[in-house]
Amino acid sequence: MYLYSLTLQQATGILCAINGSFSGGKSQEIVVARGKVLDLLRPDENGKLQSLLSVEIFGAIRSLAQFRLTGAQKDYIVVGSDSGRIVILEYNKEKNTFDKIHQETFGKSGCRRIVPGQYLAIDPKGRAVMIGACEKQKLVYVLNRDTAARLTISSPLEAHKSHTLVYSICGVDCGFDNPIFAAIELDYSEADQDPTGQAANEAQKHLTFYELDLGLNHVSRKWSEQVDNGANLLVTVPGGGDGPSGVLVCAENFVIYKNQGHPDVRAVIPRREDLPAERGVLIVSAAMHKQKSMFFFLLQTEYGDIFKVTLEHENDRVKELKIKYFDTIPVTSSLCVLKSGFLFAASEFGNHALYQFQAIGGDPDVEASSATLMETEEGFQPVFFQPRKLKNLVRIDQVESLMPIMDMKVINLFEEETPQVFSLCGRGPRSSLRILRPGLAISEMAVSQLPGVPSAVWTVKKNVNDEFDAYIVVSFANATLVLSIGETVEEVSDSGFLDTTPSLAVSLIGDDSLMQVHPSGIRHIREDGRINEWRTPGKRTIVKVGSNRLQVVIALSGGELIYFEVDMTGQLMEVEKHEMSGDIACLDIAPVPEGRQRSRFLAVGSYDNTIRILSLDPDDCMQVLSLQSVSSPPESLLFLEVQASIGGEDGADHPASLFLNAGLQNGVLFRTVVDMVTGQLSDARSRFLGLRAPKLFSVIVRGRRAMLCLSSRPWLGYIHQGHFLLTPLSYETLEYAASFSSDQCAEGVVAVAGDALRVFTIERLGESFNETAVPLRYTPRKFVLQPKRKLLVIIESDQGAFTAEEREAAKKESFEAAGVGENGNTEQMENGEDEENSDPLSDEQYGYPKAESGRWVSCIRVLDPRTTQTTCLLELQDNEAAFSMCTVNFHDKEYGTLLAVGTAKGLQFWPKRSFEAGYIHIYRFREEGKVLELLHKTQVEGVPLALSQFQGRLLAGIGSVLRLYDLGKRRLLRKCENKLFPNTITSIHTYRDRIYVGDMQESFHYCKYRRDENQLYIFADDTVPRWLTAAQHIDFDTMAGADKFGNVYFVRLPQDVSDEIEEDPTGGKIKWEQGKLNGAPNKVEEIVQFHVGDVVTCLQKASLIPGGGECIIYGTVMGSLGALLPFTSRDDVDFFSHLEMHMRQEHPPLCGRDHMAYRSAYFPVKDVIDGDLCEQFPTLPMDMQRKIADELDRTPAEILKKLEEIRNKII
Amino acid sequence: MQASDRFNINSQLEHLQAKYVGTGHADLTRFEWAVNIHRDSYASYVGHYPILAYFAVAENESIGRERYNFMQKMLLPCGLPPEREDD
């Protein structure tokens, strides 16, 4: 089996974000690392974050930093990754790429303990960069400019110290003196040697300054001093005239200002009042904002509270450090303060947000200061505060993030054309069920009813140079309606259009006149109001029209074509007639090329299943240039120019090729390349779009022509970052559409469907899914489908949180304390339920209050996905938490389908995994499945982490025991068990009499159940210890699994072994066979192995398109979705493996990790071709594309076609 | 040191042990070995963000706190060292 791996949705979580001016000048951009993807984002004028560039780097990004050389206008990006190399990137605005400026190797690849890459620090003046590892190694590179003002990098200077752990590093701002880097270090050498534990207790973190002597080209330890043992983060304090220099040391509960030769200035971090005393407060992200006259820091705690830190200083002496409560937003992995007054918050779980500053915390608020620091016998006196509504920030945009995907299923619950992806995302109060549909999201601007059922709609401008459209013209069966676009859209009668007849086409002709084609003639409305009418000869009627701004071709009934051109005076003149053999099905003329008089090509579709290209040149007017036969009569034609590759932000680097698109009556979209000179057609590709013949319309997307195809659902064909994408829109069936541009909506679409006129815009281009989110209460763990009623049952559980009642009570108390009257209080409680936003303390924003780590809350929810209503929500009592679930039909069928839920009471992970009890709950469905009722609860001796139905009984994995239960009246009854599993059972799949058990650390075990003997045997297992995170049954002998380290693999039982086991009727052979390698007698073979580079949490076998082959879909912790598609032909395998090989050679990954090594990070990659790498082919320079294509004996266009084809098989 | 000593196996090993933390030797104790493995594991967790996030979800802590906890654990990953047997 060979698989093609393709990422369907890039990772949406962010691990690190930096801001700066990467394209140069005044623009503000954000570079974010999403695990293995580097993205460039920019907030546009409306405060919406736009993604400019997204590059998969085939490596794990661990840290990012930006720097600017003195006097330069542009920031560079430094990337610390797992490649054992330091990489400096520059954003190339013209080509819209990241250019690799430098790549210096310093160590082995992989995320290792002593190989730098974990930490990056920059000298604030951009003269040096330090890259550090968790332990021992730190390297300093000097950055400079050569005579041609190019960035240079020195050889590395070592600042190593062995037996030393590093917690954080940062640059120290000391103006233009020698660059200094600060590090929090901990020496463990003595603690390792001392059995009494005294040295370990006395182990002390130190703050160390490393000075880079630019003259001597040498790094030395300049200064080292003890620092608080809870220190975890360093923040640079401005210096060199802008501030006092030095660093802020963020430690558990404290922020300390430190500098060489300066006494410590310490202040406590205020605590939430409801925080348990055992918990500290840790700063997890920090940002510094510097203006000419002042600077401040924003520090965010692990609970989401942001504090503004200011320093009172006189020259270099810091007198006071103040920490003031600022606002509370969801916990971030990085904060970026943009110069334009925005705050970008990259959330660690859930959606990211862009905030605007309303104030910078000038108003009085809870404040801790170094001046009022009180030391008592029990330590420093804490300062308390209560989180409140946002005061200084206002959220203006959100970027969706699925991180983490906990579970996922692909089902067509809504009976739509394509299945939906149901995914459980997020954590704690920000959890949600997200329903993803392949396709682009649209936002509807207006819907208005029309007096009849319209057949077509157009928009026209009054003048070529107008920015916006002037009229919307709607045609009915026997009339035409004209609407003028202004402040409002209203009907007008003075437009000059004939309103007593249907229209066939309406457009702008020449520079400033309008044309209306109706069945009996052409009406030409001049700018000054004069009207010219051209009437059809005899009783013939016009059936089809094709036009651009200067040319019009009409088709009369019977098959006659008449060609008109606009002459110098703006008159429409008949040029040529041509008789075709039969009726014309459709027509299109390519738009007039820039600087030309006319377009050369006319495409004519006939009912005899052919498309002809006719010439419109005066020399060979109406000559047939080429002919293409198609599978079904064409319904609609459209010429569209497509750039083959990117370059520049708009991607106009390569010569465009002209595509002729045809919508055929059998629902297929047929695309073929038109030779610009000869008009020959070549390179045809077709794709099934839907049950109706696609009608094609030209619309404007991001300022360029794109294609809207209206079949049984709408599709958009457009160019995104160099790829031509054909994506469905998540919208209803439309009849006819036109692009729409007005004051309120620059790039919209107006369409008719039924008796309504709809105006909408298309959002978030480039994404392959759009989502509908349903909020949940706690971290979702798993869900199952109640198949009969199509309801979802979700289990949610959270550690260290209070139950809903306790939270309500605490909230009430705090309101009372705050002096809210009894009336206002109850009102808010009621509002809080249905309006999350009006809730003064919405949990989504503030997080749940923390409880002791041993406490659990959990609930079981039944949700109707169609209405998104929760029909039943059971909170588990008594510190119980649900972890596993399945639906089960016991064979006595008394209750029908039941729900089994595995729970644990009082589960603790630290210091050792322990629990009070485990239970299996059995629920029955009541009221058409909407409500759950507890039947009984059975105590078990472990945590049941896996449940499954098996032959009318319940199989449960309880710790290391696999047990078969039957339903009893008051509890479950044990029937059979096997205790030979090595660790903990986490997954159970069944097929016929085989049971496939996944162990937490030991991969899969294949078991068999002998009914006559009532025994469970393990007959095969894996040789590799795999820490399973997800499992999926593929076929009788094959399982797919994913491990904790980011690998996906397939194992298969060899055919002969499988046969032997099936042919053994007594089972005696398996029973008495000797085990091998401390395990089962047979071993499964690994047939597929691939490193995804992200923890895969769910696997499913599904097809995302109707009629498409099944593939494996996976979801990951970082919120990405991917697919593994099995190849069906040997030729394709050969082609793609060669393409992959050439791509590896010619286009090594951006951040210096070897592609093959990355995909084989833990186990050698086996039989998987990396589609993400192959899809980078169009981003290569043209000569490189040709070179690779030559090697493969193909043309670049054929390779692009292949890539498009295989993608279309998946989504 | 003589020129020939530079190339003998012992000095090469010593060089490796000095350069690469965790390179073993003949007298390595069980404890030392375990400490090494644990530190390597923690460093790997800290380095791989998705794994860190996975742990963070399991323990319902912030990712920043998880990272800090793992770094803190690198001090004494296997508890106190055993008493040395004097030879």
Side-chain angles (χ1 to χ4, degrees):
Chain A
M1 180 159 38
Y2 285 86
L3 299 174
Y4 183 75
S5 153
L6 190 67
T7 304
L8 302 179
Q9 159 99 50
Q10 292 285 19
T12 44
I14 294 176
L15 69 91
C16 181
I18 52 170
N19 64 301
S21 175
F22 301 104
S23 58
K26 287 227 155 70
S27 67
Q28 286 280 309
E29 283 111 8
I30 303 163
V31 170
V32 299
R34 301 181 189 270
K36 50 185 173 163
V37 180
L38 203 59
D39 267 11
L40 185 73
L41 309 175
R42 182 192 288 161
D44 66 6
E45 317 78 77
N46 306 324
K48 293 256 176 225
L49 274 175
Q50 302 290 346
S51 164
L52 296 185
L53 174 64
S54 171
V55 185
E56 161 114 40
I57 62 130
F58 306 105
I61 303 172
R62 298 156 79 189
S63 49
L64 289 176
Q66 84 281 16
F67 71 93
R68 178 181 292 209
L69 294 172
T70 323
Q73 294 296 309
K74 195 171 176 180
D75 288 311
Y76 292 95
I77 307 156
V78 194
V79 186
S81 67
D82 63 346
S83 60
R85 292 168 162 160
I86 185 169
V87 170
I88 298 181
L89 302 174
E90 182 184 15
Y91 175 61
N92 185 329
K93 199 166 136 192
E94 283 70 44
K95 284 160 88 185
N96 192 30
T97 51
F98 288 121
D99 289 348
K100 192 166 11 179
I101 307 290
H102 288 292
Q103 169 175 303
E104 296 295 319
T105 311
F106 49 68
K108 292 184 182 181
S109 60
C111 293
R112 288 163 203 264
R113 192 163 129 207
I114 57 156
V115 178
Q118 184 65 38
Y119 305 112
L120 274 175
I122 292 287
D123 170 56
K125 292 280 182 270
R127 296 168 297 169
V129 54
M130 177 183 260
I131 185 164
C134 298
E135 187 179 318
K136 186 179 168 187
Q137 295 201 11
K138 286 182 245 36
L139 296 170
V140 178
Y141 288 89
V142 182
L143 305 165
N144 216 326
R145 263 187 280 227
D146 65 5
T147 46
R150 282 177 310 221
L151 177 70
T152 60
I153 190 164
S154 71
S155 42
L157 305 169
E158 293 185 355
H160 300 346
K161 187 165 184 293
S162 36
H163 308 292
T164 303
L165 302 172
V166 178
Y167 287 78
S168 178
I169 62 176
C170 83
V172 179
D173 191 350
C174 42
F176 286 100
D177 293 343
N178 277 334
I180 293 177
F181 294 98
I184 302 174
E185 295 182 337
L186 174 65
D187 191 318
Y188 66 70
S189 53
E190 279 173 26
D192 268 5
Q193 306 299 328
D194 179 15
T196 61
Q198 194 190 355
N201 288 334
E202 285 168 3
Q204 181 69 42
K205 285 184 188 166
H206 281 78
L207 178 71
T208 309
F209 278 17
Y210 289 91
E211 184 180 21
L212 165 66
D213 193 319
L214 287 171
L216 295 171
N217 204 24
H218 174 72
V219 181
S220 57
R221 278 171 86 85
K222 194 185 178 203
W223 175 69
S224 187
E225 197 179 72
Q226 289 195 352
V227 69
D228 190 292
N229 256 343
N232 71 316
L233 188 69
L234 290 175
V235 187
T236 309
V237 175
D242 298 330
S245 182
V247 291
L248 282 186
V249 181
C250 305
E252 208 166 4
N253 299 326
F254 298 102
V255 175
I256 307 151
Y257 170 81
K258 273 181 100 72
N259 199 2
Q260 189 177 6
H262 192 290
D264 289 4
V265 183
R266 173 190 289 254
V268 294
I269 304 171
R271 298 169 66 87
R272 285 192 187 189
E273 272 167 13
D274 53 13
L275 202 63
E278 62 174 36
R279 295 196 62 101
V281 182
L282 199 70
I283 299 292
V284 294
S285 61
M288 193 254 291
H289 182 65
K290 189 166 80 173
Q291 283 174 340
K292 280 208 179 77
S293 55
M294 49 84 88
F295 62 88
F296 63 86
F297 307 89
L298 293 180
L299 307 182
Q300 192 180 31
T301 67
E302 57 185 315
Y303 311 111
D305 306 313
I306 298 183
F307 294 96
K308 179 186 170 188
V309 174
T310 46
L311 295 171
E312 292 276 317
H313 66 103
E314 218 166 74
N315 298 327
D316 287 353
R317 307 311 290 178
V318 173
K319 295 192 294 189
E320 193 179 355
L321 188 157
K322 288 181 183 164
I323 306 179
K324 190 195 254 182
Y325 176 54
F326 191 73
D327 263 336
T328 301
I329 62 171
V331 186
T332 62
S333 55
S334 280
L335 286 172
C336 294
V337 181
L338 306 187
K339 288 217 168 65
S340 38
F342 293 116
L343 176 78
F344 176 66
S347 299
E348 44 179 42
F349 295 108
N351 293 352
H352 314 296
L354 189 69
Y355 295 87
Q356 190 158 28
F357 284 97
Q358 297 288 89
I360 50 167
D363 296 347
D365 222 313
V366 175
E367 190 175 69
S369 161
S370 59
T372 56
L373 185 71
M374 297 279 283
E375 192 163 6
T376 61
E377 276 171 17
E378 291 124 41
F380 293 96
Q381 186 101 51
V383 175
F384 292 103
F385 77 101
Q386 188 77 48
R388 52 153 169 78
K389 258 194 210 175
L390 291 185
K391 206 156 96 181
N392 300 304
L393 298 172
V394 58
R395 194 176 74 193
I396 54 170
D397 192 24
Q398 276 210 83
V399 183
E400 268 127 22
S401 165
L402 302 177
M403 179 173 179
I405 298 180
M406 301 292 290
D407 198 1
M408 178 225 23
K409 280 188 174 55
V410 182
I411 335 168
N412 196 350
L413 266 193
F414 302 144
E415 276 147 20
E416 288 171 6
E417 216 159 282
T418 53
Q420 302 86 47
V421 181
F422 293 83
S423 57
L424 296 180
C425 306
R427 190 178 71 161
R430 301 188 83 205
S431 316
S432 58
L433 167 78
R434 302 203 189 200
I435 306 166
L436 306 176
R437 291 181 171 88
L440 291 170
I442 64 119
S443 83
E444 202 166 60
M445 312 276 287
V447 179
S448 51
Q449 298 298 312
L450 292 170
V453 177
S455 57
V457 64
W458 300 270
T459 52
V460 275
K461 289 177 183 170
K462 276 187 174 163
N463 192 301
V464 185
N465 301 319
D466 281 358
E467 196 181 340
F468 302 124
D469 292 319
Y471 297 116
I472 298 175
V473 183
V474 187
S475 171
F476 296 90
N478 53 7
T480 297
L481 179 73
V482 184
L483 305 165
S484 120
I485 305 168
E487 292 276 295
T488 58
V489 174
E490 50 199 24
E491 187 176 349
V492 287
S493 52
D494 59 348
S495 57
F497 289 112
L498 195 62
D499 56 4
T500 53
T501 166
S503 301
L504 292 170
V506 172
S507 68
L508 179 77
I509 282 286
D511 286 337
D512 51 10
S513 52
L514 303 175
M515 176 188 74
Q516 178 188 18
V517 183
H518 50 86
S520 54
I522 301 175
R523 192 177 172 93
H524 186 193
I525 305 154
R526 303 296 296 264
E527 187 247 346
D528 50 12
R530 283 181 295 146
I531 291 173
N532 299 336
E533 279 270 5
W534 177 90
R535 300 226 153 259
T536 50
K539 286 204 170 149
R540 302 173 76 179
T541 54
I542 303 176
V543 287
K544 297 288 169 195
V545 190
S547 70
N548 60 27
R549 207 166 56 75
L550 297 173
Q551 297 160 290
V552 182
V553 173
I554 55 168
L556 298 181
S557 52
E560 188 180 9
L561 291 174
I562 306 179
Y563 171 45
F564 300 86
E565 268 186 23
V566 177
D567 71 3
M568 297 304 226
T569 63
Q571 284 284 352
L572 203 56
M573 302 299 288
E574 187 177 323
V575 178
E576 186 69 53
K577 282 187 181 174
H578 183 72
E579 195 73 39
M580 300 290 281
S581 54
D583 264 343
I584 307 294
C586 46
L587 286 177
D588 193 48
I589 307 182
V592 182
E594 201 69 43
R596 296 281 187 85
Q597 277 287 313
R598 59 177 70 80
S599 160
R600 195 166 129 68
F601 302 123
L602 164 72
V604 180
S606 316
Y607 288 104
D608 58 357
N609 294 1
T610 55
I611 300 169
R612 289 177 174 80
I613 301 286
L614 274 59
S615 166
L616 294 178
D617 261 5
D619 316 335
D620 54 353
C621 199
M622 292 293 167
Q623 293 286 315
V624 176
L625 296 176
S626 60
L627 178 95
Q628 172 80 48
S629 63
V630 287
S631 55
S632 161
E635 165 82 15
S636 176
L637 290 170
L638 185 75
F639 280 106
L640 191 71
E641 275 192 5
V642 173
Q643 266 87 23
S645 176
I646 52 159
E649 273 174 29
D650 57 346
D653 184 21
H654 295 291
S657 44
L658 187 66
F659 273 85
L660 175 67
N661 301 279
L664 310 183
Q665 281 186 357
N666 57 6
V668 166
L669 176 74
F670 179 83
R671 301 172 59 221
T672 163
V673 178
V674 184
D675 188 299
M676 295 281 222
V677 181
T678 64
Q680 286 299 316
L681 299 175
S682 60
D683 197 11
R685 42 193 98 172
S686 48
R687 175 155 193 201
F688 178 74
L689 295 192
L691 298 171
R692 286 169 47 170
K695 286 185 204 152
L696 310 180
F697 302 94
S698 156
V699 291
I700 302 296
V701 168
R702 286 201 192 136
R704 286 194 291 156
R705 260 167 62 99
M707 170 173 67
L708 195 64
C709 316
L710 305 182
S711 177
S712 47
R713 58 181 170 153
W715 293 68
L716 185 74
Y718 65 106
I719 296 165
H720 180 74
Q721 295 184 356
H723 292 271
F724 179 81
L725 300 178
L726 189 61
T727 321
L729 302 181
S730 287
Y731 205 38
E732 53 195 278
T733 309
L734 302 174
E735 281 302 323
Y736 208 96
S739 71
F740 176 78
S741 169
S742 79
D743 216 2
Q744 288 92 18
C745 158
E747 269 181 12
V749 175
V750 57
V752 291
D755 62 348
L757 186 74
R758 294 161 188 275
V759 180
F760 60 88
T761 55
I762 299 160
E763 298 196 323
R764 308 247 183 236
L765 292 163
E767 288 186 8
S768 35
F769 292 98
N770 74 79
E771 61 174 54
T772 322
V774 185
L776 302 175
R777 192 179 273 184
Y778 307 118
T779 310
R781 301 283 162 167
K782 274 189 181 113
F783 73 118
V784 292
L785 175 73
Q786 213 275 42
K788 241 187 238 158
R789 315 278 181 198
K790 300 201 166 165
L791 297 169
L792 302 179
V793 188
I794 305 168
I795 46 173
E796 302 162 33
S797 38
D798 261 341
Q799 190 183 16
F802 292 104
T803 61
E805 297 95 70
E806 286 169 321
R807 285 200 311 273
E808 285 294 299
K811 225 183 242 185
K812 210 165 177 178
E813 210 170 86
S814 80
F815 281 127
E816 270 161 22
V820 181
E822 197 58 41
N823 291 340
N825 195 349
T826 48
E827 221 167 81
Q828 270 157 349
M829 284 299 152
E830 282 158 19
N831 289 345
E833 280 302 304
D834 41 33
E835 277 177 80
E836 207 76 44
N837 294 341
S838 69
D839 189 346
L841 280 175
S842 102
D843 292 321
E844 216 171 301
Q845 185 79 6
Y846 301 98
Y848 289 141
K850 287 276 174 194
E852 293 78 22
S853 60
R855 296 182 53 155
W856 286 84
V857 285
S858 182
C859 67
I860 307 170
R861 178 193 298 264
V862 184
L863 188 124
D864 184 348
R866 273 151 298 192
T867 58
T868 70
Q869 289 298 315
T870 300
T871 58
C872 173
L873 196 144
L874 298 176
E875 280 248 2
L876 298 183
Q877 303 299 323
D878 251 8
N879 219 4
E880 251 185 89
F883 289 101
S884 60
M885 177 173 51
C886 77
T887 53
V888 51
N889 287 297
F890 285 99
H891 49 61
D892 61 0
K893 295 207 171 79
E894 191 191 335
Y895 298 105
T897 305
L898 298 175
L899 182 76
V901 178
T903 66
K905 185 176 173 184
L907 183 67
Q908 274 193 320
F909 298 119
W910 297 107
K912 215 169 160 61
R913 205 165 103 169
S914 64
F915 60 96
E916 288 164 32
Y919 297 97
I920 299 175
H921 298 221
I922 301 287
Y923 293 92
R924 66 187 285 203
F925 290 98
R926 301 288 299 268
E927 296 172 30
E928 297 181 320
K930 285 184 179 153
V931 176
L932 292 174
E933 188 191 65
L934 182 68
L935 222 52
H936 52 63
K937 187 164 150 182
T938 309
Q939 186 165 352
V940 291
E941 75 281 14
V943 184
L945 283 182
L947 296 172
S948 172
Q949 178 183 333
F950 179 68
Q951 297 181 351
R953 287 168 169 183
L954 178 71
L955 257 182
I958 300 159
S960 64
V961 182
L962 180 70
R963 188 174 295 149
L964 197 57
Y965 281 107
D966 212 338
L967 187 71
K969 286 276 177 239
R970 322 200 56 185
R971 50 171 295 141
L972 292 169
L973 310 169
R974 294 182 189 200
K975 288 294 165 196
C976 165
E977 69 178 13
N978 185 325
K979 291 185 174 174
L980 294 173
F981 292 91
N983 200 291
T984 310
I985 294 170
T986 56
S987 81
I988 302 174
H989 291 81
T990 60
Y991 188 76
R992 306 221 298 246
D993 65 343
R994 277 197 191 169
I995 302 161
Y996 309 85
V997 175
D999 188 273
M1000 193 179 262
Q1001 296 179 11
E1002 296 281 344
S1003 192
F1004 292 113
H1005 298 257
Y1006 286 27
C1007 310
K1008 215 170 170 70
Y1009 175 65
R1010 295 267 169 218
R1011 184 174 278 274
D1012 38 353
E1013 292 169 46
N1014 191 29
Q1015 275 190 313
L1016 286 160
Y1017 307 107
I1018 305 172
F1019 65 85
D1021 62 8
D1022 200 354
T1023 49
V1024 185
R1026 296 276 196 167
W1027 296 60
L1028 274 190
T1029 55
Q1032 176 69 34
H1033 176 248
I1034 303 292
D1035 64 34
F1036 195 48
D1037 292 327
T1038 316
M1039 286 295 287
D1043 71 19
K1044 199 169 84 172
F1045 309 103
N1047 304 306
V1048 172
Y1049 69 106
F1050 285 35
V1051 290
R1052 175 174 285 172
L1053 192 67
Q1055 191 60 49
D1056 51 331
V1057 179
S1058 177
D1059 291 345
E1060 211 171 281
I1061 283 155
E1062 292 314 304
E1063 283 159 11
D1064 183 13
T1066 61
K1069 197 168 167 209
I1070 317 173
K1071 198 171 166 188
W1072 301 112
E1073 207 167 354
Q1074 197 85 63
K1076 287 187 187 125
L1077 301 173
N1078 299 321
N1082 303 298
K1083 300 293 166 191
V1084 291
E1085 284 173 355
E1086 179 185 278
I1087 55 166
V1088 162
Q1089 159 60 42
F1090 187 66
H1091 180 63
V1092 174
D1094 195 349
V1095 181
V1096 173
T1097 49
C1098 41
L1099 286 167
Q1100 225 216 325
K1101 193 167 71 169
S1103 160
L1104 283 176
I1105 48 169
E1110 282 205 316
C1111 40
I1112 299 290
I1113 315 281
Y1114 61 81
T1116 70
V1117 162
M1118 291 294 282
S1120 79
L1121 289 174
L1124 298 165
L1125 176 80
F1127 280 105
T1128 45
S1129 87
R1130 188 79 217 178
D1131 288 351
D1132 279 355
V1133 176
D1134 281 347
F1135 169 76
F1136 281 105
S1137 41
H1138 281 102
L1139 178 62
E1140 188 190 33
M1141 183 188 81
H1142 287 295
M1143 288 298 293
R1144 274 180 185 151
Q1145 276 165 7
E1146 307 293 346
H1147 184 64
L1150 186 67
C1151 291
R1153 186 86 153 102
D1154 180 62
H1155 177 265
M1156 176 95 96
Y1158 176 65
R1159 290 301 182 196
S1160 313
Y1162 290 81
F1163 301 95
V1165 60
K1166 187 165 171 18
D1167 296 350
V1168 181
I1169 288 152
D1170 187 0
D1172 296 333
L1173 180 69
C1174 295
E1175 286 215 337
Q1176 290 191 350
F1177 178 77
T1179 66
L1180 296 181
M1182 207 58 210
D1183 50 338
M1184 193 77 87
Q1185 288 190 19
R1186 263 191 227 104
K1187 191 178 153 203
I1188 294 178
D1190 284 348
E1191 300 263 358
L1192 295 169
D1193 269 345
R1194 293 183 193 242
T1195 64
E1198 281 170 345
I1199 294 180
L1200 292 180
K1201 187 178 151 188
K1202 273 286 215 195
L1203 288 169
E1204 210 174 286
E1205 264 173 14
I1206 194 142
R1207 179 174 262 274
N1208 291 346
K1209 278 186 196 164
I1210 300 174
I1211 192 162
Chain B
M1 190 194 280
Q2 284 178 342
S4 60
D5 284 350
R6 248 198 357 231
F7 300 107
N8 75 29
I9 187 77
N10 280 329
S11 65
Q12 277 182 29
L13 261 179
E14 265 164 34
H15 171 74
L16 279 178
Q17 276 149 2
K19 190 169 174 194
Y20 300 109
V21 176
T23 310
H25 52 86
D27 299 327
L28 196 75
T29 65
R30 184 189 170 84
F31 177 80
E32 283 165 340
W33 179 83
V35 162
N36 222 342
I37 296 293
H38 277 77
R39 286 207 180 112
D40 281 348
S41 298
Y42 287 133
S44 169
Y45 299 158
V46 168
H48 290 102
Y49 193 79
I51 298 187
L52 212 49
Y54 189 69
F55 282 119
V57 172
E59 297 189 5
N60 199 17
E61 290 285 356
S62 83
I63 294 176
R65 167 66 80 171
E66 280 305 302
R67 184 186 292 127
Y68 174 73
N69 283 351
F70 285 135
M71 286 304 294
Q72 291 292 80
K73 279 186 194 143
M74 281 171 81
L75 175 62
L76 278 183
C78 306
L80 294 174
E83 294 281 347
R84 264 175 196 251
E85 289 168 28
D86 290 323
D87 39 8

